[in-house]
Amino acid sequence: MANGTADRPPARRPGGRNARVRAQILEATVELVARDGIAGFRYEEVAEFAGVHKTSVYRNWPDREELVVEALLRYAEDLASVADTGDIHRDLVDFLLALAGGLETSFGRTLEQAIQPARHSSTVQALTRILDQRVAAMQRRVDTAVERGELPQVDSSFLGEMISGPVHLIVNRGMRPFTRTDAERIVGVVLAGIRATAPRT
């Protein structure tokens, strides 16, 4: 009965050591893709970067691309959320600040690099899913604002592009940090424009 049980700690402690090892591997993958891009990502470097044995990488992800896709999807969750406090202006400002913060992380850099010509079909699909999640979250929040009368009827995808475009520009230039003042001005101008050009009823 005791024979073999001591050799399998992950089975005895589900979510323990094995979960930590997987998290280390996924984090290392994001860091390496952020540093080298998807095309330059070297599968064999992951174990050393994560501080784990290479068999842990190969056992959990025998396919290089599956590892990249899972890492990107796992670290995308925070970029897809938009709060609902009942104040659309405030929620969009907070969203832009979170977006700017996300773009400045290793994961954000990974996304930015990978979106420029990504060459792997599964990876492209993963990136599309990440962006779709973000668009869907924005659409839900804007649609709720329209229903409440906070905003006139508006194309939520267009609104999202209008407010997020300047964030990418400022962060990618790297000339200065993106600030709350920037977010307030962007949201204020875009929402004012939407309200001013809304059809009269």
Side-chain angles (χ1 to χ4, degrees):
M1 183 104 171
N3 195 14
T5 55
D7 297 330
R8 291 163 44 196
R12 296 175 63 195
R13 296 188 303 162
R17 180 180 178 278
N18 192 51
R20 286 197 302 275
V21 168
R22 285 178 63 88
Q24 286 171 240
I25 292 168
L26 291 171
E27 186 173 349
T29 300
V30 170
E31 293 282 349
L32 287 168
V33 175
R35 188 189 74 185
D36 302 328
I38 288 176
F41 169 71
R42 295 180 63 229
Y43 191 46
E44 50 283 1
E45 279 190 86
V46 176
E48 182 180 352
F49 208 80
V52 302
H53 197 279
K54 63 183 178 181
T55 56
S56 296
V57 180
Y58 300 137
R59 183 175 64 246
N60 285 287
W61 294 278
D63 180 81
R64 169 193 185 278
E65 196 164 323
E66 286 178 8
L67 172 58
V68 173
V69 168
E70 185 172 340
L72 292 178
L73 290 174
R74 172 164 177 162
Y75 285 86
E77 293 173 4
D78 290 343
L79 294 182
S81 61
V82 184
D84 184 355
T85 66
D87 180 341
I88 187 65
H89 181 99
R90 174 183 169 184
D91 293 342
L92 292 180
V93 167
D94 289 343
F95 172 74
L96 293 190
L97 288 169
L99 175 60
L103 290 173
E104 290 166 351
T105 65
S106 60
F107 174 71
R109 292 192 300 273
T110 298
L111 270 186
E112 290 293 293
Q113 288 182 21
I115 289 169
Q116 324 286 324
R119 297 180 178 84
H120 308 296
S121 59
S122 296
T123 308
V124 171
Q125 291 169 13
L127 295 171
T128 300
R129 284 169 62 188
I130 292 167
L131 297 175
D132 286 348
Q133 288 169 10
R134 188 189 299 173
V135 169
M138 173 66 71
Q139 287 176 333
R140 286 192 300 271
R141 182 61 189 92
V142 172
D143 289 344
T144 301
V146 171
E147 289 168 9
R148 291 173 181 162
E150 289 184 271
L151 288 176
Q153 199 67 41
V154 61
D155 180 337
S156 50
S157 296
F158 174 72
L159 189 154
E161 291 168 359
M162 290 294 292
I163 66 169
S164 62
V167 182
H168 288 269
L169 184 63
I170 292 171
V171 172
N172 290 342
R173 276 181 175 172
M175 302 290 287
R176 62 180 179 82
F178 185 84
T179 65
R180 178 169 286 275
T181 299
D182 292 321
E184 292 277 2
R185 290 174 66 189
I186 292 164
V187 172
V189 167
V190 172
L191 294 189
I194 286 170
R195 289 175 175 130
T197 57
R200 303 290 179 185
T201 55

